[in-house]
Amino acid sequence: MLWLLLPIWGQAQQRTDTTDALHRVLRHLETYQKNYPQEQIYLHTDRSYYQANDDIWFKAYVTVSQFNFLSAVSKIIYVELLNEQQEVIQSRRLPVVSGLSVGDFKLPESLAEGKYHIRAYTNWMRNFDDGLFFHKTIFIGSNLSSGLLTSASFQFEGKDKQRVLGSIQLTDLKGRSIGNRQVAYELKLDAKNSFKGQSAFNEAGVLQLDLRVKNNRETVLGMLTLNIEDQDRPPVVKSIPIHVSSLAHSIQFFPEGGTLVKDITTKVGFRTLGSLTGMIRGYLEEDGTKILDFKSDSAGLGHFSLSPSSGKTYTAIVSFADGDTIRTILPEVQEEGFGLAINNAAEDVVLAQVSASETLINKQPLALIAQTGGFVYYAVKRVLDADQITFSIPKKSLPSGITKLALLDQEMNLLGERSVFILHPQDTLSVQVSTNKKRYATREKVDLHLSAKNALDSASVGTFSISVVNADRIPPPEDNILSTLLLHTNTYAALQMPFVNLQQTSASRWEQLDNVLLTSKADPAFWKNIQTGKFPEKAYTPEKELKISGTITSNDDKPLDKARVTIVSLQNANAVLDTVTGPDGHFSFDKILFYNQPDFIVQARDARGRKNVKIKLDESPNQEIAEEKNASEVKITASQNDTTRSNKNSLEEVQTYGFDEKSIVLEEVEVKDQKVNPAKYSANLNGPGRADQIISGDELYMRGCPTIDACLQGRLVGVVFRGGVPYSTRSPDRPMQIILDGMYMDANALSIINIFDIASIEVLRTVANTAIYGMYGSGGLMIITTRRGDQPPMLSNDLHSPGITTFSPQGFYEIRAFQSPDYGTEQTQASTEDRRRTLYWQPYAFIDNNTADTFSFYTSDQPGIYRIEVEGLDVDGHLAKSITYIQVE
């Protein structure tokens, strides 16, 4: 008997059901959706392969909800470049205008070759799982790489074996394997672990390494250097960092719906874990008797069906590619319960079959809700009057992307959850790119005409970005705006899951996608909050503007009303603002505009003008990095090599970004002086100043902190403090060695060192700097040098004044313009050889209903197939991806 069939379209809900429990849950879901809108980000980069000293250009599309409307929630975005050790090496804070932002990274010439990650998020997104952030893997090569790319994976076998197993794949820019190359390798771990040898890449372009290390350890950290023969040219040198832990192979099993129930046939998904993933084979035993075989795909994903029996134990025996075999016991079989099986293969409907134990067939009502982020698309309620009932959900009621189906009992307790993926062709946008011809000469002008149509074949209004590269030199990217916004930003395993290209759909791809969703964990806490209507507090609010805020208190921490607060920019003494606090002691300087990471002085006085007050600034903790549990995020100042904008241009940006007339522009001034090494008297065995990071004693002065660890917290790259003791994120279980003027001190010695006596602090974390210290450098070192007679503290008369502190917030990055040559002028024609890797980058492409936008660029001196990539969306959230090719001869 059908009790209720309740389709819910958007926010329009016509409910005829009288069951309070279901209506209450639907109201709570609506409240959650309104108060916790889900933002997603996609970054279109000009390419996915770079070399040191290159520029990375990108455009950010910030959308909200499953329908991918451009977001008005956040006005500021953070984009970070991370290395293979998951350390932030560059960070950008950028304004978001109408859900869009543009920016770039300038790669230093000394940047090591390897894989890097780009991560993007808003402050509001930090309230949710960081697996929902935007993640993109790029490769940065050396200028001497000769077009050879390496892709490496490592595994460390700890305990008794103490072996490092490595597999390095050698390819060209098109992804073709390069085999039969001789190679000399050197692996440096520490002073007692260094390996040299000769080997060769096999015919498949793979180099296998099996090296034993000395001393018992749980983590291997080092650098592998390869000298690869390059025919008649000098050898190509590749430096590959290694950071692996002793993680044994493991496998996880996920019964569809969440549980194994006696005599109910259930699809069981599985995924492998470990530093080396790949295809596995295995079989399942029931109380020691083999009952079935199974195997995974190349990403370690798969599934099998099982009808478990009561009182039986099911054990999986799994064999990995490296020869290891493990035994894993499946979840315990329940005597009674429910099974949930989803069939998404039909063209028009999603079928959800619910199976129940015989003891539970009591005509109780069950509800199935289809939702994402609290936005309900469909709800249906049925009576359980048989051992199997089927819910049929029309696909037209579901949007493109991931939808979560939740099975609930009559009290709205979660019985099972499953995710499904839908892709409607009408939710995509068709972009046409036409050129004035198909074949061009070098340095010839190319005219592009851009137009877009939706599924109804009518013109659309949209925003797009265009990238043009030489396809013979630059491999195609794996990601695109469709796969990212519809799939990857809605899963919680963004860095671990295989990439699924929605533009290349096949039976195997759809099966892999379903296995990804099958092995996604349910979120019981979410449904518990929905059931009770109690939602977690928002720790992070959407950022609308740059501001400096905080609280003024007395020395006994009582808030001070009507206290006067003044801020002064150290880069522009004329930029001064003041305000007064409210009854809660809080103050805020809103809608101010500043770039990079300038220094401010914050001064406060109570209502009577006395300076014995405390200043507590509002500072959000830096975003942690998911892949290293104990790693702290490090905020790095953006490149200072770019020229600053003029006062006139800054004022124009104030108007563009919507700041009102109360805004101020804080100018920067260039100070030219000879750089002084604060560590010139250091006992550093590598040489004074040869460290991964140096902090001068004057910087500690300016912080006005009571202890050294308080001053250094958040300012050191890859260093965290626990109980006043420093730990490197490279070895989070071993404290850093403290060296004071050449004396080896205990790890907690920071508490006894006078801040005002310090001339410099040098931080040594990488193998290149710690190897000389042997066992003392295994956890990293902090070398502290005290002042000499010729190193007096700066501003010593003012720095100890109460009621004053300094603050260095991250401001907006000054966006650069992409430079493209114009060979229509005689002066440009006489220039040197044109070897541009990105021929054209245009993040400001716009199409309205009636006009096709036109763009132009010049080809370079290198012939080949040029790839024109266009990505973007229209005002209705329809996504677009287009690739066009031209020939340059």
Side-chain angles (χ1 to χ4, degrees):
M1 176 180 177
L2 183 65
W3 278 31
L4 174 66
L5 181 61
L6 180 63
I8 301 172
W9 303 89
Q11 295 301 309
Q13 303 179 3
Q14 297 180 353
R15 302 170 180 146
T16 59
D17 179 55
T18 58
T19 305
D20 289 340
L22 178 58
H23 283 176
R24 183 177 64 252
V25 163
L26 293 176
R27 288 195 301 270
H28 291 168
L29 284 167
E30 184 176 0
T31 300
Y32 180 87
Q33 182 268 328
K34 289 181 178 179
N35 294 333
Y36 292 84
Q38 300 285 310
E39 286 186 309
Q40 298 90 231
I41 296 176
Y42 174 69
L43 254 65
H44 180 197
T45 58
D46 61 320
R47 45 196 161 102
S48 57
Y49 173 77
Y50 299 87
Q51 288 187 304
N53 206 36
D54 274 354
D55 297 311
I56 299 176
W57 304 94
F58 59 83
K59 179 177 181 178
Y61 297 85
V62 186
T63 67
V64 67
S65 87
Q66 192 79 351
F67 302 103
N68 289 309
F69 299 131
L70 288 171
S71 176
V73 177
S74 297
K75 298 298 183 184
I76 294 176
I77 187 178
Y78 297 87
V79 184
E80 298 165 340
L81 181 64
L82 288 70
N83 61 16
E84 285 193 281
Q85 287 73 46
Q86 295 300 295
E87 298 170 330
V88 178
I89 60 173
Q90 288 191 35
S91 176
R92 300 289 185 257
R93 192 181 190 187
L94 299 165
V96 176
V97 181
S98 300
L100 304 171
S101 185
V102 297
D104 62 86
F105 291 112
K106 177 64 179 178
L107 302 179
E109 191 172 2
S110 59
L111 197 63
E113 182 176 274
K115 287 185 179 179
Y116 290 76
H117 300 284
I118 297 177
R119 182 176 72 167
Y121 57 91
T122 65
N123 196 55
W124 174 250
M125 292 172 66
R126 298 174 68 182
N127 290 300
F128 311 97
D129 193 286
D130 58 7
L132 302 180
F133 293 177
F134 173 83
H135 294 273
K136 178 185 177 74
T137 299
I138 62 173
F139 187 88
I140 299 176
S142 165
N143 289 319
L144 302 177
S145 63
S146 296
L148 298 180
L149 306 181
T150 55
S151 176
S153 59
F154 297 93
Q155 182 182 9
F156 175 52
E157 296 184 353
K159 297 183 180 179
D160 299 331
K161 296 183 179 180
Q162 294 288 303
R163 299 163 59 202
V164 175
L165 304 176
S167 178
I168 298 97
Q169 175 74 56
L170 185 66
T171 64
D172 61 14
L173 293 178
K174 293 186 176 181
R176 297 174 298 196
S177 298
I178 304 296
N180 301 317
R181 292 286 184 96
Q182 295 295 316
V183 59
Y185 64 84
E186 180 179 10
L187 175 61
K188 288 185 178 181
L189 301 179
D190 53 42
K192 296 184 179 180
N193 284 271
S194 180
F195 308 91
K196 293 183 178 180
Q198 300 280 338
S199 187
F201 289 89
N202 60 24
E203 291 184 358
V206 177
L207 172 66
Q208 301 285 358
L209 295 177
D210 184 352
L211 305 173
R212 291 189 175 273
V213 298
K214 301 176 182 179
N215 302 331
N216 291 330
R217 60 183 71 204
E218 294 298 324
T219 301
V220 168
L221 177 66
M223 183 68 70
L224 175 66
T225 302
L226 304 178
N227 287 269
I228 307 170
E229 78 165 356
D230 192 20
Q231 300 173 354
D232 56 348
R233 293 183 291 269
V236 175
V237 180
K238 299 283 185 178
S239 297
I240 304 173
I242 300 176
H243 188 187
V244 291
S245 299
S246 177
L247 298 176
H249 285 303
S250 64
I251 187 170
Q252 291 182 334
F253 293 92
F254 301 83
E256 189 171 25
T259 56
L260 290 174
V261 182
K262 180 186 70 172
D263 298 331
I264 294 180
T265 301
T266 303
K267 181 189 289 187
V268 180
F270 60 85
R271 69 161 60 227
T272 59
L273 304 174
S275 54
L276 287 177
T277 59
M279 180 179 290
I280 57 99
R281 297 181 182 272
Y283 60 91
L284 192 67
E285 291 183 345
E286 180 185 77
D287 286 348
T289 302
K290 180 179 177 180
I291 59 173
L292 61 86
D293 294 297
F294 60 87
K295 66 178 181 179
S296 75
D297 60 17
S298 59
L301 292 165
H303 72 268
F304 56 82
S305 294
L306 176 66
S307 181
S309 301
S310 176
K312 302 292 185 179
T313 299
Y314 295 89
T315 305
I317 291 84
V318 181
S319 298
F320 290 82
D322 61 0
D324 274 2
T325 300
I326 63 171
R327 300 173 64 90
T328 302
I329 299 177
L330 268 64
E332 184 179 355
V333 179
Q334 305 296 317
E335 287 297 316
E336 64 176 21
F338 298 89
L340 178 63
I342 301 298
N343 185 344
N344 192 23
E347 183 177 352
D348 299 325
V349 296
V350 176
L351 299 176
Q353 179 178 289
V354 178
S355 304
S357 300
E358 185 176 353
T359 56
L360 299 177
I361 305 174
N362 54 6
K363 294 188 177 182
Q364 64 171 306
L366 299 179
L368 189 75
I369 298 178
Q371 63 84 34
T372 303
F375 202 107
V376 180
Y377 312 112
Y378 200 84
V380 61
K381 191 172 183 182
R382 287 196 59 179
V383 168
L384 182 64
D385 53 6
D387 60 349
Q388 289 185 350
I389 60 174
T390 301
F391 297 91
S392 180
I393 305 174
K395 287 189 176 180
K396 66 180 181 180
S397 300
L398 306 178
S400 291
I402 293 177
T403 297
K404 295 185 177 181
L405 306 179
L407 180 66
L408 308 168
D409 65 13
Q410 58 186 344
E411 301 299 329
M412 297 296 108
N413 295 307
L414 182 66
L415 300 178
E417 189 175 48
R418 176 74 149 87
S419 296
V420 296
F421 181 80
I422 306 293
L423 180 60
H424 299 297
Q426 64 267 26
D427 289 338
T428 60
L429 195 64
S430 175
V431 174
Q432 294 81 38
V433 178
S434 59
T435 57
N436 54 331
K437 50 195 292 191
K438 292 298 182 183
R439 294 179 178 273
Y440 296 86
T442 58
R443 299 200 179 191
E444 184 176 356
K445 187 177 182 180
V446 179
D447 293 323
L448 297 177
H449 301 276
L450 195 65
S451 61
K453 293 184 178 181
N454 56 31
L456 301 177
D457 204 31
S458 60
S460 294
V461 177
T463 176
F464 304 89
S465 42
I466 305 172
S467 173
V468 182
V469 299
N470 190 328
D472 293 338
R473 303 174 62 200
I474 305 297
E478 283 190 337
D479 65 332
N480 59 63
I481 192 170
L482 283 83
S483 301
T484 300
L485 292 183
L486 294 181
L487 175 61
H488 290 263
T489 56
N490 288 292
T491 57
Y492 286 88
L495 290 178
Q496 290 76 35
M497 69 176 293
F499 186 84
V500 180
N501 190 339
L502 297 180
Q503 291 188 311
Q504 300 175 0
T505 54
S506 62
S508 60
R509 283 289 187 180
W510 284 117
E511 182 179 7
Q512 185 181 66
L513 173 55
D514 191 64
N515 286 331
V516 168
L517 300 178
L518 178 61
T519 55
S520 299
K521 294 182 178 179
D523 189 2
F526 171 81
W527 283 105
K528 195 68 177 177
N529 293 334
I530 293 298
Q531 186 183 33
T532 60
K534 297 179 180 178
F535 307 117
E537 295 184 3
K538 305 168 187 174
Y540 304 98
T541 58
E543 290 181 306
K544 304 293 186 181
E545 64 209 5
L546 296 180
K547 67 178 182 179
I548 297 177
S549 61
T551 304
I552 307 301
T553 67
S554 60
N555 287 329
D556 54 359
D557 295 324
K558 293 181 179 179
L560 295 178
D561 185 19
K562 299 180 181 179
R564 180 165 293 277
V565 185
T566 304
I567 62 169
V568 180
S569 169
L570 293 181
Q571 280 72 32
N572 181 9
N574 294 322
V576 179
L577 287 177
D578 60 10
T579 187
V580 294
T581 61
D584 58 354
H586 191 264
F587 69 91
S588 181
F589 296 96
D590 300 328
K591 297 181 180 180
I592 59 178
L593 182 63
F594 52 91
Y595 294 100
N596 298 324
Q597 199 158 4
D599 295 318
F600 293 96
I601 293 178
V602 183
Q603 179 178 281
R605 299 289 186 267
D606 65 15
R608 297 183 179 181
R610 294 173 298 189
K611 62 182 180 180
N612 291 320
V613 299
K614 290 183 179 180
I615 303 173
K616 299 178 181 178
L617 296 173
D618 296 332
E619 297 183 72
S620 296
N622 295 319
Q623 178 62 35
E624 295 182 352
I625 299 177
E627 288 195 328
E628 290 190 6
K629 295 182 180 179
N630 296 323
S632 63
E633 185 76 331
V634 181
K635 185 167 60 178
I636 304 297
T637 305
S639 172
Q640 303 293 325
N641 295 328
D642 306 323
T643 57
T644 58
R645 294 194 174 159
S646 67
N647 186 38
K648 177 180 178 181
N649 290 339
S650 297
L651 288 174
E652 290 176 353
E653 283 201 7
V654 170
Q655 298 172 354
T656 302
Y657 297 146
F659 302 122
D660 62 19
E661 64 277 3
K662 296 181 181 179
S663 305
I664 63 169
V665 178
L666 302 175
E667 296 180 338
E668 293 188 357
V669 296
E670 182 181 2
V671 179
K672 295 183 178 180
D673 198 357
Q674 184 177 0
K675 184 176 180 181
V676 177
N677 181 8
K680 63 180 181 179
Y681 296 115
S682 169
N684 188 345
L685 298 181
N686 297 292
R690 294 188 176 181
D692 297 305
Q693 188 176 1
I694 303 176
I695 299 292
S696 71
D698 293 324
E699 291 183 69
L700 300 183
Y701 261 121
M702 297 295 291
R703 298 283 288 179
C705 309
T707 59
I708 295 178
D709 62 293
C711 284
L712 296 178
Q713 184 72 50
R715 292 182 66 85
L716 299 183
V717 178
V719 177
V720 295
F721 290 84
R722 301 197 292 268
V725 176
Y727 292 83
S728 171
T729 56
R730 293 174 178 266
S731 50
D733 298 325
R734 181 186 295 271
M736 300 181 72
Q737 175 66 55
I738 306 298
I739 300 180
L740 176 64
D741 290 336
M743 298 182 295
Y744 288 68
M745 310 288 288
D746 191 69
N748 57 11
L750 292 181
S751 59
I752 63 174
I753 301 175
N754 190 335
I755 296 178
F756 309 116
D757 293 335
I758 295 176
S760 66
I761 297 179
E762 298 166 273
V763 179
L764 280 59
R765 297 178 60 248
T766 60
V767 175
N769 289 322
T770 60
I772 196 171
Y773 286 91
M775 60 177 294
Y776 292 102
S778 57
L781 301 99
M782 187 174 291
I783 302 175
I784 302 176
T785 305
T786 57
R787 296 182 184 276
R788 302 298 192 267
D790 61 345
Q791 294 178 302
M794 298 177 60
L795 306 175
S796 58
N797 294 330
D798 299 326
L799 289 173
H800 312 306
S801 300
I804 188 171
T805 188
T806 59
F807 184 41
S808 301
Q810 184 181 18
F812 284 146
Y813 172 71
E814 291 194 76
I815 302 168
R816 297 181 297 153
F818 179 83
Q819 301 297 324
S820 183
D822 181 3
Y823 289 126
T825 64
E826 183 176 348
Q827 181 178 2
T828 308
Q829 286 285 0
S831 63
T832 58
E833 184 180 6
D834 184 350
R835 300 177 59 84
R836 285 173 291 151
R837 298 185 181 94
T838 298
L839 283 299
Y840 185 65
W841 169 249
Q842 175 54 264
Y844 301 109
F846 179 79
I847 300 177
D848 61 22
N849 286 319
N850 302 313
T851 305
D853 217 343
T854 301
F855 307 93
S856 61
F857 68 94
Y858 283 88
T859 61
S860 70
D861 288 333
Q862 294 186 317
I865 303 295
Y866 284 23
R867 184 172 61 246
I868 304 170
E869 298 178 7
V870 179
E871 293 189 286
L873 48 77
D874 68 6
V875 293
D876 296 319
H878 298 146
L879 307 177
K881 167 73 174 183
S882 171
I883 299 179
T884 306
Y885 296 93
I886 59 174
Q887 177 75 47
V888 178
E889 300 172 335

